[in-house]
Amino acid sequence: MAIAVSTFGSFGDKRVDQFRLVSETGVRVDLISYGVAVRDWRVPVSGGERGVVLGFDSFDAYAEHSPHFGSLAGRVANRIKGASFDLNGKTYKLPANAGDLQLHGGAEGLGRQVWDGQVDEANNTVRFTHFSPDGAMGYPGNVNFSATYTLRGNRLRLELSATTDQPTPISLVQHQYFNLGTSADVLDHTIQVNSSAYTELGADLAPTGAILPSRGTIYDLRQPRSMRDAAGQPVDYDIGMALDTGRSTSEPIATVVAPGKDLTLKLWSDRPGVQVYNGVWTDIPVPGLDGKSYGKHAGFCLEDQAFADAVHNPHFPNVIYAPERPYRHWCEFEIA
């Protein structure tokens, strides 16, 4: 099908484009070039269609209020303790934007940049590219990033890549906020994750370095459960889950079912971990899509990624990439 391209706004001196993908099953996904954000995602349901992500109807809200709604986060997603790291005998100081941490690549990270988009109508694909110069947000290396979204049927696939001219940490993540149902929160969604362990967090929400078994904790998501405790009270999730080793990437890493059981989300990925987040800090002062209000627990995120703060934990999967080791990462969502 034809991919509709339109102007959605502007950021600085750059135009922000929107690209509309429509599949043969009637799924519609709107992507914008600011942060490669999935702005809107509509899925057919009985009697019509349903929006399944959090976003905004106008661009200004993204620049002023978005907590990475639908965007890519990087160069390094999640938290870096002390907003610094050592690499090859040199200490790199990063601009902190979450206390003394750097979060999601900093205040001017990849999710806050306008990318270039190119359509491939034959494959129902949009390929975004962005050049990040040496020193951007404190990181070494000139890096060329690519993000390619393809919609087929009810599946949206994201393929990420990056090449660099010197060793540098790279760990990207898609940051979709989902709500598969019709209520204002996601607490009664049922979630299951193929993980038996999690990365313990310190008081600053950065990993301590310990990888702990999830059995008997609120992070035991091996069997489907709601986002409430046994007493029916909300459970706050903002935790990095270590995916089971030896798994087949042909099997989904996570499955979430809407309260009415009319929609199910499945996520596949090649990453070693996934951050499970259910909007603990969400409090948006302006209307969202279709005039909705977004408060605490308004959406959930399944952020497939390397472990947070891997630059300080050498026993975590390696996030240092180099000219001879380009970055590659893919994930795929199905909502049906």
Side-chain angles (χ1 to χ4, degrees), residues 187-188 217-218 225-237 278:
L187 297 171
D188 295 311
T217 74
I218 60 170
R225 59 163 292 167
S226 76
M227 300 184 199
R228 299 181 185 272
D229 63 19
Q233 296 303 305
V235 175
D236 291 344
Y237 285 106
N278 64 353

Side-chain angles (χ1 to χ4, degrees), residues 78 195 197-201 238-242 273-276 307-308:
N78 218 310
S195 167
Y198 65 97
T199 53
E200 181 187 51
L201 300 181
D238 190 5
I239 192 69
M241 308 295 295
V274 61
Q275 186 86 6
V276 177
F307 297 171

Side-chain angles (χ1 to χ4, degrees), residues 131-178:
F131 172 71
S132 182
D134 181 36
M137 283 287 93
Y139 292 96
N142 294 295
V143 184
N144 286 290
F145 289 96
S146 172
T148 302
Y149 270 112
T150 301
L151 179 64
R152 292 192 177 97
N154 288 63
R155 291 196 183 198
L156 183 66
R157 181 179 177 89
L158 171 61
E159 295 174 279
L160 298 166
S161 67
T163 57
T164 177
D165 62 358
Q166 61 177 290
T168 190
I170 299 173
S171 179
L172 306 184
V173 72
Q174 52 72 31
H175 211 298
Q176 318 301 333
Y177 284 68
F178 293 100

Side-chain angles (χ1 to χ4, degrees), residues 7-303:
T7 298
F8 186 64
S10 62
F11 183 68
D13 60 352
K14 294 185 177 181
R15 186 182 72 246
V16 176
D17 290 327
Q18 176 172 282
F19 303 83
R20 174 164 292 179
L21 300 175
V22 180
S23 79
E24 67 276 15
T25 58
V27 174
R28 185 175 84 241
V29 175
D30 291 340
L31 307 163
I32 59 172
S33 56
Y34 176 77
V36 194
V38 175
R39 189 190 70 81
D40 199 0
W41 187 336
R42 306 276 169 160
V43 179
V45 294
S46 177
E49 64 175 18
R50 182 178 302 162
V52 294
V53 295
L54 276 56
F56 297 109
D57 287 318
S58 65
F59 174 73
D60 288 347
Y62 279 94
E64 297 172 10
H65 301 292
S66 177
H68 287 279
F69 278 162
S71 69
L72 292 182
R75 290 184 186 187
V76 176
N78 218 310
R79 296 168 175 88
I80 292 183
K81 198 173 182 70
S84 69
F85 64 92
D86 295 333
L87 180 62
N88 295 335
K90 182 177 179 179
T91 297
Y92 291 89
K93 298 290 187 179
L94 311 174
N97 62 327
D100 67 346
L101 310 174
Q102 187 179 88
L103 175 66
H104 292 328
E108 297 179 2
L110 298 180
R112 311 290 189 190
Q113 302 294 322
V114 178
W115 294 48
D116 296 319
Q118 184 175 13
V119 302
D120 175 0
E121 292 190 343
N123 292 297
N124 211 26
T125 289
V126 183
R127 181 175 184 264
F128 296 93
T129 56
H130 178 70
F131 172 71
S132 182
D134 181 36
M137 283 287 93
Y139 292 96
N142 294 295
V143 184
N144 286 290
F145 289 96
S146 172
T148 302
Y149 270 112
T150 301
L151 179 64
R152 292 192 177 97
N154 288 63
R155 291 196 183 198
L156 183 66
R157 181 179 177 89
L158 171 61
E159 295 174 279
L160 298 166
S161 67
T163 57
T164 177
D165 62 358
Q166 61 177 290
T168 190
I170 299 173
S171 179
L172 306 184
V173 72
Q174 52 72 31
H175 211 298
Q176 318 301 333
Y177 284 68
F178 293 100
N179 185 334
L180 307 178
T182 57
S183 65
D185 64 61
V186 295
L187 297 171
D188 295 311
H189 286 59
T190 301
I191 183 171
Q192 182 269 328
V193 180
N194 292 330
S195 167
S196 304
Y198 65 97
T199 53
E200 181 187 51
L201 300 181
D204 59 0
L205 300 182
T208 65
I211 300 175
L212 303 179
S214 60
R215 182 185 296 273
T217 74
I218 60 170
Y219 307 127
D220 190 351
L221 303 176
R222 294 171 299 163
Q223 299 299 319
R225 59 163 292 167
S226 76
M227 300 184 199
R228 299 181 185 272
D229 63 19
Q233 296 303 305
V235 175
D236 291 344
Y237 285 106
D238 190 5
I239 192 69
M241 308 295 295
L243 295 170
D244 292 343
T245 57
R247 64 186 177 87
S248 169
T249 55
S250 65
E251 297 296 325
I253 65 171
T255 302
V256 182
V257 181
K261 302 188 187 315
D262 52 351
L263 286 178
T264 297
L265 177 151
K266 295 181 180 180
L267 170 62
W268 292 261
S269 174
D270 65 350
R271 296 294 89 183
V274 61
Q275 186 86 6
V276 177
Y277 175 59
N278 64 353
V280 178
W281 317 110
T282 305
D283 183 15
I284 308 300
V286 297
L289 293 174
D290 302 325
K292 292 179 180 178
S293 296
Y294 297 143
K296 186 174 182 179
H297 301 307
F300 69 88
C301 304
L302 296 171
E303 306 164 51

